[in-house]
Amino acid sequence: MMFIDITGIVAILCLFIGLPGVLCFFGYKTKKLKQQKKALELKLERERIRLQLLEEENRKYDRIIDRRGR
């Protein structure tokens, strides 16, 4: 009987199927993490702008209160 050396077949399958699959998976995860980071940065910037607007509104009301207190 002739035995087939399955080790070589498995090595070739891993090289041509497994390795690209792993690389694509990590590439996908990296891209997804970059997108999440960008979304969080945009959300942070939006909150900074919102805070600035609230501070300006607060100063406006402080001036109104100061004028009425005189």
Side-chain angles (χ1 to χ4, degrees):
M1 276 196 184
M2 187 174 163
F3 292 103
I4 300 174
D5 186 16
I6 206 161
T7 308
I9 295 171
V10 170
I12 290 173
L13 287 176
C14 286
L15 180 64
F16 290 109
I17 295 173
L19 183 62
V22 169
L23 293 176
C24 288
F25 172 76
F26 281 113
Y28 169 76
K29 287 301 240 178
T30 301
K31 184 177 179 182
K32 189 173 180 181
L33 286 173
K34 285 181 182 178
Q35 289 174 343
Q36 287 176 341
K37 180 182 175 186
K38 182 71 174 170
L40 288 173
E41 287 172 348
L42 290 172
K43 187 175 182 180
L44 181 62
E45 185 63 26
R46 184 179 67 205
E47 291 300 319
R48 280 189 197 126
I49 292 170
R50 185 170 172 249
L51 179 62
Q52 288 174 348
L53 291 173
L54 287 171
E55 287 172 346
E56 289 174 15
E57 188 176 3
N58 189 30
R59 283 191 292 270
K60 182 180 87 172
Y61 287 127
D62 284 344
R63 286 191 298 268
I64 291 172
I65 291 171
D66 287 344
R67 287 183 205 152
R68 288 186 182 178
R70 292 181 186 178

